[in-house]
């Protein structure tokens, strides 16, 4: 699977570029220019989507499918701008919140086995080159935990620096690096599984109906050990931001409770994406 992800990433990096981001541009806007981006940032407080929002269902790959290993995974992710005025260096202060859940609907009583809470606060800076919007940079203090106690408790914090750069009209590349602050007594080795940085790319077709995203999360150590996420999305209606969404996850750390367990999962369902590039 590492070879597949590497080949796909190499292919995507050879194509033109994608459109996506936290600022909400009306679907009626066929062009995204620097003035519209600046206006969207300056007309706050702004509330909208942060990362992809999705509701997907599916089984493991390479295993016998059963009610114990086939589940729903859903994610809700939003952002709220906290200041009306632009801060120094052309930055904006945002509150971020992402929640991810694993729901075993095929089991008796349909338990939600793992809920991950990921709030954060930080600065966002839109990037302009020669009056052209090319992406943004985020500096965020974030916390992630599963809200449990005892031996099931999982918790860590990080100061993360991430960026999204639009290479062209259809292709965006992204990266995120973090300084971890691990306070959870039951997950001191979390970097061995959930990683120390991530990189990836997003590609969409010229008509913006079909898109592909690949993310690689580097686990701690010198080996080429990555958690790989490949996502395909197809816009159901031309002017909507609702997508038929397929996600393949291969690696560790998909959820906090079982972060040490290896998962290779293929799920499909509905996705809702920001109008510009998604964050990761």
């Amino acid at each position: 699977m590492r070879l597949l992800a590497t080949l796909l990433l190499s292919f995507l990096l050879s194509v033109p570029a994608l459109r996506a981001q936290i600022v909400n541009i009306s679907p009626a806007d066929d062009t995204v220019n620097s003035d519209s981006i600046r206006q969207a940032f300056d007309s706050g407080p702004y509330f909208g989507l942060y990362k992809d929002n999705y509701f997907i269902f599916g089984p493991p790959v390479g295993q016998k499918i059963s009610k114990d290993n086939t589940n729903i995974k859903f994610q809700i992710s939003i952002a709220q701008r906290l200041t009306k005025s632009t801060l120094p260096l052309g930055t904006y202060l945002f509150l971020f919140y992402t929640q991810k859940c694993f729901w075993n609907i095929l089991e008796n009583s349909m338990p939600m086995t793992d809920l991950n809470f990921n709030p954060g606060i930080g600065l966002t800076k839109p990037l302009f080159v020669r009056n052209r919007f090319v992406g943004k940079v985020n500096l965020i203090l974030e916390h992630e935990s599963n809200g449990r106690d005892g031996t099931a408790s999982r918790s860590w914090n990080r100061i993360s620096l991430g960026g999204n750069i639009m290479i062209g009209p259809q292709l965006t590349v992204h990266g995120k690096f973090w300084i971890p602050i691990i306070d959870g007594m039951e997950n001191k080795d979390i970097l061995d599984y959930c990683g120390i940085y991530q990189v990836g790319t997003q590609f969409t077709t010229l008509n913006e109906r079909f898109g592909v995203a690949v993310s690689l999360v580097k686990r701690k150590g010198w080996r080429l050990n990555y958690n790989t996420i490949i996502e395909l999305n197809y816009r159901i209606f031309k002017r909507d931001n609702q997508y038929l969404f397929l996600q393949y996850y291969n690696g560790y750390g998909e959820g906090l409770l079982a972060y040490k367990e290896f998962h290779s999962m293929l799920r499909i369902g509905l996705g809702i994406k920001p109008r510009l590039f998604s964050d990761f």
Side-chain angles (χ1 to χ4, degrees), residues 1 9 15 43 122 143 163 236 247 280:
M1 287 305 167
L9 188 60
V15 200
S43 61
H143 169 79
I236 301 172
Q247 183 188 77
F280 291 87

Side-chain angles (χ1 to χ4, degrees), residues 165-260:
I165 303 297
M166 300 173 71
I167 305 301
Q170 279 74 55
L171 183 67
T172 299
V173 295
H174 61 85
K176 187 176 182 181
F177 306 83
W178 49 82
I179 300 173
I181 306 169
I182 302 172
D183 57 352
M185 298 303 296
E186 302 297 330
N187 53 264
K188 292 295 185 181
D189 58 352
I190 195 168
L191 298 182
D192 295 337
Y193 301 90
C194 293
I196 54 177
Y197 70 83
Q198 66 184 43
V199 293
T201 186
Q202 305 172 70
F203 168 77
T204 190
T205 55
L206 281 171
N207 63 5
E208 299 186 345
R209 295 297 295 270
F210 177 74
V212 183
V214 178
S215 295
L216 302 175
V217 181
K218 177 66 176 69
R219 301 195 294 271
K220 185 179 178 181
W222 295 105
R223 293 182 300 165
L224 295 177
N225 49 356
Y226 290 89
N227 300 327
T228 303
I229 306 103
I230 300 175
E231 296 171 342
L232 306 179
N233 56 81
Y234 178 77
R235 179 176 285 170
I236 301 172
F237 303 105
K238 187 175 181 180
R239 295 291 184 179
D240 271 347
N241 68 337
Q242 298 179 30
Y243 295 81
L244 183 64
F245 186 84
L246 182 145
Q247 183 188 77
Y248 172 67
Y249 190 100
N250 181 270
Y252 298 87
E254 185 179 24
L256 284 180
L257 184 62
Y259 72 95
K260 294 184 180 182

Side-chain angles (χ1 to χ4, degrees), residues 88-127:
L89 302 178
T91 60
Y92 301 83
L93 182 64
F94 278 88
L95 181 67
F96 303 98
Y97 180 75
T98 300
Q99 181 172 316
K100 183 168 56 179
C101 178
F102 298 86
W103 186 10
N104 288 19
I105 61 166
L106 300 182
E107 294 186 12
N108 293 333
S109 79
M110 298 187 294
M112 292 188 177
T113 57
D114 191 16
L115 281 81
N116 298 173
F117 307 94
N118 181 205
I121 187 170
L123 298 171
T124 292
K125 178 178 175 58
L127 302 176

Side-chain angles (χ1 to χ4, degrees), residues 111-168:
M112 292 188 177
T113 57
D114 191 16
L115 281 81
N116 298 173
F117 307 94
N118 181 205
I121 187 170
L123 298 171
T124 292
K125 178 178 175 58
L127 302 176
F128 299 92
V129 175
R130 297 178 181 176
N131 205 37
R132 174 175 170 262
F133 177 68
V134 297
K136 68 171 185 176
V137 174
N138 291 326
L139 177 63
I140 306 174
L141 173 62
E142 53 184 313
H143 169 79
E144 188 174 22
S145 65
N146 64 350
R148 301 224 192 164
D149 58 9
T151 57
S153 174
R154 307 283 186 267
S155 176
W156 68 315
N157 309 282
R158 53 188 182 179
I159 301 171
S160 62
L161 177 64
N164 297 268
I165 303 297
M166 300 173 71
I167 305 301

